[in-house]
Amino acid sequence: MAASILVTGGTGYIGSHTVVELQQSGHRVIIVDNLSNSNKSVLGGIAKITGTRPDFEQADCTDFKAMDALFAKYGDIKAVIHFAASKAVGESVEKPLLYYRNNLTSLINLLELMSKYGTEALVFSSSCTVYGQPDVLPVNEDAPIKPALSPYGNTKQISEEIITDSIKAGARYKASILRYFNPIGAHPSAEIGELPLGVPQNLIPYVTQTAAGLREMLSVFGNDYNTPDGSCIRDYIHVVDLAKAHVVALDRMLDGKSADKLEIFNLGTGKGLSVLEIVETFQRVTGVKLNYRIVGRRPGDIEQVWADPEKANKVLGWTARETVEETLLSAWRWQQKISS
């Protein structure tokens, strides 16, 4: 059913693509974002794709008064999709308190306000980092939660525990926790994509910026891991596929199809690719030679992880469909557009 959906961090990378999918599904979207790692110009890209400019409020989710005023202003928020968070593993090792304050306070504020205003459902942006280095690959939702290897990963673990405990304590809303693997790529229209402010913390924007000549060299962190080529292995999923999963999970709760008040899903392709395989594939599909070098391991990085997405495939009826080749090409088209 069509409803008013609050999307926190909605001008960010995954958030903006999810807003597109929500609007194309008929939902009304209210975005709240403090623009700390995004740009308001994204709203124009969303409007070009969908024909509708979402409502936008510039506020910080850690500011309870501002968020309370926002809920009161719109009044009929049926659900929240919560993306707003600091998200770089390396930075979290250097600035742990920033990560704990930002990522945990924002969630606690939202859960309190959802209860206050009768909001029915939460989709929470979690991460495969909660598994640490899994004992068995591919990893499914029943895998043990390992001690986090970074403060960022720990905030996701703690956030999941906060949501779980709130529901156990009788909260009336439902929640769907989505554990992402590695989102990459851009919308096929090239109207929106990954647009980090400053030096990119994620692999693909660093790859595309290096290819475009904006960065002198790409650093590959480690070639001595216990993997076929020595570099880390991840499960890279097209951001549009990921965004569509949020809409399916949300509608499942709003339509009363979820029997449990809390559901958890892995969102990945089920295939692991190494950093060096990504570099090689990018060069092959774009024809652009990358200037890269092998450097030391990065603190907090997991050696290898990829998803068993069977639960999401069966329960949500969702499958990651885009190939890594098309995904990398979409990222390159986006980079070419914003660089021109």
Side-chain angles (χ1 to χ4, degrees):
M1 67 178 190
S4 292
I5 313 299
L6 177 65
V7 180
T8 74
T11 57
Y13 175 43
I14 306 171
S16 60
H17 286 82
T18 302
V19 169
V20 165
E21 298 302 322
L22 286 166
Q23 292 194 161
Q24 290 180 333
S25 297
H27 293 297
R28 178 199 180 187
V29 176
I30 303 120
I31 292 175
V32 59
D33 204 304
N34 66 2
L35 302 179
S36 63
N37 193 34
S38 61
N39 195 297
K40 197 175 177 181
S41 64
V42 170
L43 299 172
I46 294 170
K48 282 184 180 179
I49 297 167
T50 66
T52 303
R53 191 178 181 91
D55 290 303
F56 175 76
E57 301 286 339
Q58 185 170 347
D60 194 310
C61 292
T62 64
D63 183 339
F64 186 87
K65 287 185 178 179
M67 294 303 294
D68 192 7
L70 186 154
F71 272 80
K73 175 179 177 179
Y74 289 95
D76 62 343
I77 294 171
K78 287 288 185 192
V80 175
I81 302 182
H82 183 38
F83 295 106
S86 301
K87 62 181 181 65
V89 168
E91 183 186 53
S92 78
V93 174
E94 299 167 2
K95 302 176 181 178
L97 295 184
L98 175 123
Y99 273 68
Y100 287 115
R101 181 185 299 111
N102 195 33
N103 294 5
L104 301 182
T105 304
S106 60
L107 174 65
I108 292 166
N109 286 348
L110 281 168
L111 295 180
E112 289 182 350
L113 290 166
M114 286 175 62
S115 292
K116 178 178 178 179
Y117 288 93
T119 303
E120 296 176 15
L122 170 74
V123 179
F124 178 68
S125 168
S126 192
S127 167
C128 65
T129 58
V130 302
Y131 298 118
Q133 180 56 63
D135 298 322
V136 177
L137 289 168
V139 62
N140 66 27
E141 293 83 355
D142 295 326
I145 303 300
K146 297 284 195 72
L149 296 181
S150 69
Y152 164 72
N154 203 25
T155 66
K156 291 302 183 184
Q157 290 185 7
I158 295 168
S159 292
E160 289 195 9
E161 291 168 358
I162 290 170
I163 294 165
T164 302
D165 289 343
S166 298
I167 287 176
K168 283 181 179 176
R172 296 181 63 184
Y173 47 78
K174 291 183 175 182
S176 187
I177 292 173
L178 305 183
R179 292 174 178 163
Y180 311 161
F181 283 68
N182 285 62
I184 61 172
H187 195 271
S189 67
E191 293 293 347
I192 57 173
E194 191 166 8
L195 188 62
L197 302 184
V199 178
Q201 300 286 337
N202 294 333
L203 174 62
I204 300 306
Y206 216 110
V207 165
T208 59
Q209 288 187 18
T210 303
L214 302 176
R215 303 284 164 194
E216 182 180 350
M217 186 175 293
L218 168 70
S219 295
V220 175
F221 296 105
N223 67 342
D224 58 348
Y225 288 100
N226 184 27
T227 62
D229 62 21
S231 64
C232 290
I233 291 176
R234 297 289 183 269
D235 186 337
Y236 295 95
I237 178 174
H238 196 300
V239 67
V240 174
D241 280 335
L242 186 68
K244 288 177 179 176
H246 290 74
V247 181
V248 176
L250 179 77
D251 288 345
R252 176 176 166 81
M253 291 185 286
L254 294 182
D255 293 343
K257 294 178 181 176
S258 52
D260 298 324
K261 292 194 69 177
L262 174 64
E263 294 184 317
I264 299 173
F265 299 99
N266 283 344
L267 299 182
T269 66
K271 181 180 180 182
L273 291 170
S274 74
V275 173
L276 289 173
E277 283 179 303
I278 288 289
V279 168
E280 186 280 326
T281 304
F282 180 87
Q283 293 182 136
R284 174 168 52 82
V285 300
T286 64
V288 179
K289 180 72 173 172
L290 282 171
N291 186 27
Y292 71 92
R293 65 180 175 183
I294 309 295
V295 298
R297 295 186 181 190
R298 182 172 59 178
D301 273 347
I302 295 164
E303 179 175 274
Q304 51 186 318
V305 63
W306 64 92
D308 177 351
E310 184 179 4
K311 182 180 177 184
N313 298 164
K314 287 185 174 179
V315 176
L316 295 179
W318 167 90
T319 304
R321 301 188 181 280
E322 296 294 338
T323 65
V324 68
E325 288 84 0
E326 179 51 45
T327 305
L328 290 171
L329 277 172
S330 71
W332 180 230
R333 287 192 293 266
W334 163 248
Q335 183 66 60
Q336 288 176 302
K337 178 178 179 179
I338 60 178
S339 299
S340 60

